[in-house]
Amino acid sequence: MSWNRKHLLDIESLSADEINTVLDTATAFKAVGERAIKKVPALRGKTVANLFVEPSTRTRISFELAALRLTADVIQFTAEASSLKKGETLKDTARNLEALNTDIFIVRHRAAGAPHFLSRVLNASVINAGDGAHEHPTQALLDAFTIREKKGCIAGLHVTILGDILYSRVARSNIWCLTKLGAHVTLAGPSTLVPRVFEQFGCRVTHNIEDAIEGADVVNLLRIQHERQRKALFPGTAEYANLFGLNRTRLERTKPDAIIMHPGPINRGVEIDSEVADSGRSVILEQVTNGLAVRMAVLFLVNGGQGPQEVAA
Amino acid sequence: MISKCLNALDPRTGSPEVVILDEPAIDRTLTRIAHEISERNADSEGVVLIGIQRGGVRLAERLSQLLSGLWHHPVAVGSLDINMHRDDLHTQLAPEVHETRIPFDITDKTVVLVDDVLFSGRTVRAALDAMNDFGRPSRVQVAVLVDRGHRELPIKADFVGKNVPTALNERVHVCLREENGSDRVSVVRA
């Protein structure tokens, strides 16, 4: 057990021990969600602010429900309906929320490093819920949790991440997380979206999907991030589906017990065929369930005080 | 609470460790507690055991075996982690949480909560809270291997293996063969 961090800003700075602490803690919180009474008082009296400056549905709802299941009070903040529109800075907005005695900020922002910046100007805890194309730590943790739950262990597994790597914070966090836990990571997709420079992360890079998924234990599909691309980086979605979409024929190249993951939202017929998305190999909805448990674990861990871990019974 | 098992000298402080229960004594103690539970509960079918993580779980399993032998029917046993229900979460680092597994309905049952050491009583209080989420037992009893005193809440054990008067700066270590290879309860001065 090792966790004495006040913030969760990225996966890059975490040790394998710390990652495993989150995953172990999440196991206990997953069981809470399976009970008749799905709530525990661990964050009773605490206030959590969902500071989402960039739109999000599933991550925001997942964090909101995680905080509610821990008995925290939750402030929902969305940029569209806020004074950010009136020219207030992010720092001032956050400090105003902190003046309402917010204990934990969950931050999503289109600028990489925004959560890091807030962690320096606030006294509260900060959790990164996605910053630009930089990192999305809880997504990587829930992906690792799902892989560990399905495969027993992550070290030695062959994991292929397929799609828009260049613009994907999910890919970056996943690469850090999986390589720290000892997996072999292959990245694949159009050469415009999967540059060779990613080999510096310790990954294999290929632009041939058949080669990428051959013998894979896990295939993690990423959505094309149209909102982050400034120009056309591939001809069209139909051609993308032809060259890189995961269909049943391609699925047969993976190991017979390989699992298919996707952080959502999925684009049926583009990166994944409906037949594959709805097959028994797909764990996409289990990722959603596990995301809640992982976010409860992260909130629980960053909320910890400064004293010793072990307390007399 | 359980922590690691020590040899004759505590490596951190160099102070002597005094063994208060050895393996045969722990076996005899648990046998006596099982008989006391059996004596107190005429309706044996209505009794279930829940061990508090970590130290109470193995003891609950052993008591379940002993009681099955006395009652000639299986006695259900579960495990309960109370760390999400602690009253001191804001003052300490986040504690390690373990599995809660109660694969039976506790409503209208007699639940015997099992722990290794009874100290402040705050763990039992948290366990009573945590158990609320699983059902409404008709009765709750508490069994502990060691009662070391220093209660901070109005809580008492129904079944006590050994009363051990301790000073606040002493620690009670419980080693069990399932986890540590051998059984031993000892007191170490911090």
Side-chain angles (χ1 to χ4, degrees):
Chain A
M1 175 78 192
S2 61
W3 188 276
N4 52 17
R5 287 172 187 270
K6 187 178 168 188
H7 312 290
L8 174 67
L9 301 175
D10 51 41
I11 300 289
E12 183 181 357
S13 62
L14 296 187
S15 67
D17 251 14
E18 287 172 312
I19 293 169
N20 281 319
T21 296
V22 178
L23 305 188
D24 292 343
T25 306
T27 306
F29 281 104
K30 184 169 183 184
V32 173
E34 291 159 0
R35 298 178 193 164
I37 294 177
K38 303 173 183 61
K39 197 164 174 138
V40 291
L43 262 65
R44 192 167 69 93
K46 300 288 178 174
T47 303
V48 174
N50 250 346
L51 180 53
F52 278 63
V53 182
E54 186 182 65
S56 158
T57 314
R58 64 194 63 223
T59 305
R60 184 173 54 77
I61 288 174
S62 182
F63 266 115
E64 178 181 6
L65 192 54
L68 292 172
R69 293 244 169 118
L70 294 168
T71 322
D73 295 315
V74 184
I75 300 170
Q76 290 296 349
F77 178 97
T78 44
E80 292 74 30
S82 77
S83 46
L84 283 173
K85 287 277 170 214
K86 300 176 189 164
E88 189 178 48
T89 65
L90 177 66
K91 177 178 170 182
D92 286 333
T93 300
R95 292 184 70 171
N96 272 275
L97 288 171
E98 191 172 47
L100 300 170
N101 298 320
T102 296
D103 300 288
I104 303 175
F105 283 82
I106 297 159
V107 180
R108 166 163 294 190
H109 200 281
R110 62 178 55 80
H116 302 68
F117 166 70
L118 286 180
S119 74
R120 290 192 296 270
V121 299
L122 298 172
N123 292 314
S125 289
V126 176
I127 297 171
N128 182 358
D131 60 331
H134 175 231
E135 282 226 39
H136 189 352
T138 56
Q139 180 70 44
L141 292 165
L142 78 89
D143 288 346
F145 182 90
T146 305
I147 295 171
R148 197 176 79 164
E149 192 177 57
K150 291 286 165 190
K151 299 289 176 189
C153 174
I154 290 174
L157 290 181
H158 289 271
V159 181
T160 300
I161 304 176
L162 195 59
D164 179 354
I165 307 293
L166 182 60
Y167 290 94
S168 172
R169 53 190 172 217
V170 175
R172 281 173 184 73
S173 287
N174 258 286
I175 292 166
W176 286 118
C177 188
L178 293 167
T179 52
K180 280 170 194 278
L181 296 177
H184 306 289
V185 179
T186 297
L187 308 175
S191 55
T192 45
L193 296 177
V194 189
R196 290 264 169 217
V197 67
F198 275 89
E199 286 172 348
Q200 290 172 13
F201 284 83
C203 306
R204 185 167 75 98
V205 171
T206 173
H207 302 117
N208 177 320
I209 181 174
E210 275 76 17
D211 173 40
I213 63 176
E214 188 79 46
D217 297 290
V218 177
V219 180
N220 198 350
L221 300 165
L222 302 181
R223 189 175 61 87
I224 302 299
Q225 307 260 317
H226 293 291
E227 67 273 24
R228 270 180 242 292
Q229 298 176 6
R230 298 217 175 107
K231 55 190 179 204
L233 292 167
F234 57 94
T237 50
E239 182 168 322
Y240 185 87
N242 263 335
L243 288 173
F244 298 102
L246 190 64
N247 52 34
R248 199 177 58 176
T249 321
R250 285 180 176 148
L251 187 60
E252 280 166 10
R253 290 181 171 268
T254 63
K255 290 209 180 129
D257 61 346
I259 55 171
I260 310 305
M261 305 175 70
H262 193 306
I266 64 173
N267 290 315
R268 287 172 184 268
V270 184
E271 69 267 11
I272 186 167
D273 262 19
S274 273
E275 198 182 6
V276 176
D278 300 330
S279 74
R281 306 275 289 279
S282 155
V283 296
I284 296 171
L285 292 175
E286 286 167 77
Q287 288 174 267
V288 177
T289 307
N290 293 338
L292 182 61
V294 163
R295 290 177 179 120
M296 286 172 79
V298 168
L299 285 164
F300 181 76
L301 290 169
V302 300
N303 180 57
Q306 300 298 309
Q309 187 203 328
E310 197 183 349
V311 175
Chain B
M1 288 298 281
I2 279 195
S3 55
K4 55 198 171 297
C5 281
L6 305 167
N7 292 320
L9 286 178
D10 186 340
R12 285 165 307 159
T13 61
S15 63
E17 172 194 20
V18 180
V19 176
I20 53 171
L21 289 173
D22 60 8
E23 188 145 340
I26 289 174
D27 283 340
R28 285 197 304 274
T29 303
L30 289 174
T31 304
R32 174 174 54 76
I33 292 176
H35 278 93
E36 287 177 5
I37 293 173
S38 158
E39 184 185 16
R40 181 83 64 88
N41 296 286
D43 173 24
S44 66
E45 301 277 353
V47 175
V48 297
L49 302 177
I50 294 182
I52 299 176
Q53 291 275 20
R54 302 269 290 167
V57 177
R58 299 300 189 185
L59 294 172
E61 287 165 359
R62 289 198 207 173
L63 284 172
S64 162
Q65 287 210 333
L66 291 165
L67 284 167
S68 312
L70 294 175
W71 285 333
H72 308 294
H73 64 73
V75 179
V77 58
S79 62
L80 183 67
D81 185 282
I82 57 93
N83 281 306
M84 301 173 196
H85 294 261
R86 296 193 80 103
D87 59 11
D88 56 358
L89 283 172
H90 59 288
T91 62
Q92 56 158 351
L93 291 179
E96 195 171 339
V97 291
H98 299 279
E99 185 188 30
T100 290
R101 208 177 59 85
I102 304 181
F104 44 80
D105 187 5
I106 60 171
T107 298
D108 296 332
K109 291 283 172 34
T110 295
V111 173
V112 181
L113 277 176
V114 183
D115 204 357
D116 51 358
V117 180
L118 181 59
F119 185 19
S120 65
R122 290 180 190 270
T123 300
V124 171
R125 185 211 61 79
L128 293 171
D129 264 5
M131 220 166 39
N132 255 341
D133 296 348
F134 291 86
R136 184 179 183 278
S138 61
R139 188 175 290 109
V140 180
Q141 299 165 354
V142 175
V144 296
L145 188 57
V146 173
D147 182 348
R148 63 167 293 189
H150 302 289
R151 213 76 75 242
E152 294 167 3
L153 295 172
I155 279 170
K156 76 170 188 55
D158 300 86
F159 312 105
V160 179
K162 190 175 176 68
N163 281 295
V164 182
T166 55
L168 276 171
N169 66 349
E170 287 173 325
R171 298 171 63 96
V172 177
H173 290 289
V174 178
C175 302
L176 295 173
R177 52 179 172 260
E178 293 90 340
E179 312 275 349
N180 311 104
S182 67
D183 283 354
R184 188 167 75 249
V185 177
S186 55
V187 176
V188 180
R189 188 162 304 151

